[in-house]
Amino acid sequence: MDTMRERFVDVTTRLLDEDPRLAVVLADITAAAFEPARERHPDRVVNVGIREQLLIGAAGGLALSGMRPITHTFASFLVERPFEQLKLSLVHQGVGAVLVSAGGSYDNPAAGRTHMSPGDVALLDTLPDWTVHVPGHPEEAEQLLRHAVADGDRNVYVRLSSHQNAAPVPVEPGRFATVRTGSRGVVLAVGPMLDAVLAATEGLDVTVLYAATVRPFDTAGLRAALGERTDVVLVEPYLEGTSANEAHAALADHSHRVLALGVPRGEHRHYGSMAEHLAAYGLDAASLKERIATFLW
């Protein structure tokens, strides 16, 4: 199986051949993989070097000229470092771009804290009108990327990770998918957390929803999945509580409880493998089973 990042390069290279309005702006990361595309489209594949503020500024300029820019680097360099440019060059100017990240929350732990970005989606939540896709499989990443490119002139964030599920889910952008039904509450698994959630809830009488799009939040889908028990567990691959306010707002007219699971708040100074990070944060299947069962029962 290819990775989400490999699929992104392949699909975007083909889209550049098909759509003359499309441009790709890079900041060194993955630039070598886009070299064949740059040779064919030297005016529409731009590498600004390790200048992430310029990355977003250039995207804003391209969007103002009528282009549909795709920007790409690690999440910490795409959202956190150039945040002021996201606010001004895109949102304040009233133009849109497609931001495609790599690295997730802790894909490359050996690189240290500089390459970790569990707070990226929460940070984007401070800006208005963003669409946020969190695919859990390369097939979903391709579908959501194509949707993002064609999504008018909206600002769209596609969060890619090497952490992925074994199989894709048939996803509809903006809608939660029902993977399993039950009566004792709803567990919402976001992107690459689905496999662990399915293992953790095996034998439990709960509904499992799957979200590959988290913004806008599918309020109708969550409400439709609830039975008599209005208990919701959120399992997100980034900062815990990121979608808690969205869930509370969706159920504002119901008495309800929400348990938000994700990367805990705090400064993380010890780095290990992906599996070690998941276990340390209580996001492996065994830990999730205990935390979910304790909350719902």
Side-chain angles (χ1 to χ4, degrees), residues 16-164:
L16 281 164
D17 293 336
E18 299 165 5
D19 186 354
R21 185 170 173 254
L22 194 65
V24 173
V25 190
L26 306 167
D28 266 3
I29 302 303
T30 318
F34 275 105
E35 185 59 23
R38 190 197 66 78
E39 291 176 355
R40 291 199 300 276
H41 309 288
D43 56 336
R44 293 192 289 122
V45 179
V46 181
N47 180 12
V48 301
I50 307 175
R51 300 175 180 87
E52 288 81 5
Q53 290 87 348
L54 177 58
L55 174 77
I56 302 302
L62 286 165
L64 283 168
S65 73
M67 302 291 286
R68 182 62 166 157
I70 297 176
T71 65
H72 170 70
T73 184
F74 294 137
S76 54
F77 307 146
L78 186 61
V79 176
E80 295 176 336
R81 183 172 292 174
F83 180 73
E84 184 179 16
Q85 281 65 43
L86 294 177
K87 180 178 68 174
L88 299 178
S89 297
L90 295 178
V91 176
H92 188 63
Q93 292 288 350
V95 295
V98 180
L99 277 61
V100 181
S101 71
S105 295
Y106 36 75
D107 281 13
N108 189 14
R113 188 69 171 91
T114 56
H115 286 60
M116 298 181 180
S117 187
D120 54 347
V121 177
L123 187 56
L124 284 178
D125 270 347
T126 66
L127 299 175
D129 302 324
W130 279 78
T131 296
V132 178
H133 299 306
V134 188
H137 188 276
E139 292 291 331
E140 299 166 17
E142 176 170 350
Q143 179 183 348
L144 295 169
L145 174 62
R146 289 182 176 276
H147 184 270
V149 169
D151 194 12
D153 293 307
R154 292 185 60 82
N155 281 308
V156 184
Y157 180 47
V158 184
R159 189 184 204 263
L160 305 184
S161 175
S162 60
H163 182 200
Q164 58 192 55

Side-chain angles (χ1 to χ4, degrees), residues 179-231:
V179 181
R180 184 181 292 162
T181 58
S183 64
R184 298 294 297 269
V186 171
V187 182
L188 176 63
V190 174
M193 296 311 307
L194 180 61
D195 279 359
V197 166
L198 289 175
T201 57
E202 184 68 37
L204 300 181
D205 183 22
V206 297
T207 291
V208 175
L209 296 181
Y210 177 62
T213 301
V214 293
R215 301 291 181 275
F217 191 84
D218 186 8
T219 294
L222 177 61
R223 291 172 67 95
L226 292 170
E228 294 183 3
R229 290 281 298 272
T230 51
D231 295 335

